[in-house]
Structure formats: C-alpha cells, structure tokens
C-alpha cells in the first residue's frame, strides 16, 4: 500500500512531532510516512527529534529568503521535491498566506491549544493561548486539530479534546496538561485519518 508522504512544519520544541514519531513507530500511523521536517527557526529542538528518528530535515528562514513570498516559495519547492501529500503544522509559529493555503485544500493540518473558536486567530499561539484562557476564567479548555484554510485557525475541525482547568493552574501547567492529555493524542489520530482518506481516494481514482 502506498502511504501518504507527510511533512511536519515546526518552530520549537517539537513535542507534537514526537507524538507523531511515536505513533508511526507503534504502527498507529499506518497510512502515512513522516518524510520531511521543516523548521523556520535555527536550533529548534524539533530538528534533533527528527534527526534521531532519521527523518530528513530542512531549515527555511524568512530573513534569509528576503520576503514572505520567497519564504513560502522555498517551502513549496521542498514539498514538491519530497513529493509531500499532507502537511502538518505542529507548533509552526508563522501564518501561511491565503495563496499558500489555497494550493493545498484539505492538505494542511494544524494543532491549536484551545477549543476553537475560543482563544484562536491572530496573536493566539503557544503560551499566550493559555494565559488568555486563565485570564478569561474558563473552566474547560483543550485542543483542536483542524484543516488550514485562508482564515487563521478557521478551517474545518477534525478533532477536539477537552480538559478541566484547575484553580491553581498557571499558563505553564495548563499548557503541559493540554499537550499531554489532548494534543499528543488527537494530532496523531487526525493525521492517520487524513492520511487514510488520501490513500483510499488515490486508490479509487486509479481503479476508475
Ligand atoms: C503546541 O502547544 C501547539 O498546539 C502550539 O504550540 C505548541 C508547540 O509545541 N501551537 C500554536 O499555538 C499554533 N497556533 P511543540 O513544539 O512542543 O509541539
């Protein structure tokens, strides 16, 4: 069976990438192959995780590319060269342009650390999301995995998982719990389902 070739775009620690690597190792990503990791920051620890798992890596820096357009063109070239079918944004701290997202309809998946439509969109990323949830005083939060379209955090939702907020939570403790109980579970599940969908669609098209 042909597997969907997956590229993971990262900026930081890469714990969500690690969850995908673990899923692939235990056979829970049976329709996909982690084929490329692209970082937009030098020294992102996610790159070490990829290297340890023998996944090819690339670093694309906006400042070296000179413009947002050139940055995206470089990423697109890497995706083409590596015959990527599915793109996963796993802690990728850059917003992709509408032109970029339109080229990959329902081919880009993002994990966001809140229950969309709460605490999402421009400015809501990483720890800021949990700071905002605590400041608002919500009693439940969680994570969302969704397809990416031209609206930041606005694409079709694939999976969500909730956790209770505790009285003594800090943004850091909440972030850790949301990652451990929500993100690291629903991201691999959603990626496997999307990959299976792509593989089956391709197989059906070939049979026609
Ligand atoms: C994760 O919590 C992810 O949901 C969030 O950044 C963190 C990256 O952690 N992403 C966003 O906020 C995107 N809007 P990781 O590098 O350890 O996977």
């Amino acid at each position: 069976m042909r597997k969907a070739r997956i590229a993971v775009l990262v900026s930081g620690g890469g714990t969500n990438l690690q969850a995908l690597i673990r899923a692939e190792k235990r056979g829970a990503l049976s329709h996909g192959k982690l084929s490329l990791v692209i970082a937009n920051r030098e020294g992102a620890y996610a790159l070490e995780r990829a290297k340890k798992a023998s996944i090819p890596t690339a670093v694309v820096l906006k400042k070296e590319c000179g413009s947002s357009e050139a940055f995206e063109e470089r990423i697109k070239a890497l995706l083409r060269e590596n015959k990527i079918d599915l793109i996963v944004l796993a802690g990728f701290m850059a917003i992709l342009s509408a032109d970029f997202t339109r080229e990959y309809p329902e081919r880009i998946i993002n994990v966001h650390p809140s229950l969309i439509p709460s605490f999402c969109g421009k400015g809501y990323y990483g720890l800021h999301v949990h700071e905002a949830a605590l400041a608002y005083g919500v009693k439940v939060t969680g994570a969302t995995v969704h397809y990416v379209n031209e609206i930041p955090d606005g694409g079709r939702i694939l999976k969500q998982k909730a956790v209770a907020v505790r009285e003594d939570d800090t943004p850091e403790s909440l972030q850790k719990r949301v990652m451990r109980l929500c993100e690291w579970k629903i991201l691999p599940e959603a990626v496997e389902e999307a990959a299976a969908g792509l593989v089956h669609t391709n197989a059906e098209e070939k049979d026609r």
Side-chain angles (χ1 to χ4, degrees):
M1 180 190 68
R2 187 177 121 61
K3 294 189 177 194
R5 291 179 59 79
I6 301 167
V8 186
L9 274 53
V10 295
S11 301
T15 64
N16 279 290
L17 168 65
Q18 193 67 56
L20 291 168
I21 292 171
R22 244 183 272 125
E24 186 173 32
K25 284 219 171 98
R26 67 166 189 271
L29 197 53
S30 59
H31 291 84
K33 177 171 167 49
L34 297 172
S35 305
L36 178 66
V37 170
I38 304 177
N40 69 337
R41 283 191 197 149
E42 256 165 339
Y45 189 67
L47 291 167
E48 300 307 313
R49 297 181 191 271
K51 283 175 196 158
K52 254 192 210 150
S54 305
I55 305 168
T57 59
V59 177
V60 183
L61 305 177
K62 204 178 267 185
K63 65 172 193 282
E64 274 179 8
C65 294
S67 68
S68 298
E69 289 76 18
F71 171 73
E72 291 192 348
E73 281 309 319
R74 180 73 197 119
I75 293 176
K76 279 193 234 170
L78 284 165
L79 298 174
R80 270 193 309 271
E81 283 159 21
N82 288 276
K83 299 188 168 47
I84 297 301
D85 302 298
L86 188 61
I87 304 157
V88 179
L89 310 183
F92 186 62
M93 301 304 180
I95 292 181
L96 295 167
S97 71
D99 283 344
F100 187 105
T101 59
R102 273 193 216 110
E103 278 196 38
Y104 304 94
E106 304 224 321
R107 296 280 182 138
I108 313 175
I109 287 176
N110 181 45
V111 58
H112 182 77
S114 75
L115 295 173
I116 289 175
S118 289
F119 312 116
C120 64
K122 208 165 181 274
Y124 286 103
Y125 59 89
L127 209 54
H128 299 305
V129 178
H130 305 289
E131 284 164 358
L134 289 178
Y136 201 96
V138 293
K139 300 300 176 203
V140 172
T141 186
T144 303
V145 177
H146 62 95
Y147 279 125
V148 173
N149 65 7
E150 67 283 2
I151 303 158
D153 297 325
R156 183 159 74 85
I157 289 176
L158 296 168
K159 279 187 192 284
Q160 288 190 305
K161 194 159 188 286
V163 287
V165 177
R166 291 186 192 150
E167 286 287 321
D168 61 348
D169 260 326
T170 60
E172 290 79 7
S173 68
L174 190 55
Q175 180 182 51
K176 268 195 197 136
R177 204 156 66 257
V178 167
M179 282 178 155
R180 188 165 51 83
L181 299 179
C182 307
E183 297 184 42
W184 302 344
K185 289 208 157 81
I186 62 174
L187 181 63
E189 287 171 9
V191 171
E192 165 61 7
E193 284 172 27
L198 287 176
V199 168
H200 292 144
T201 311
N202 283 347
E204 276 165 26
E205 274 167 9
K206 262 196 197 141
D207 286 348
R208 247 181 249 147

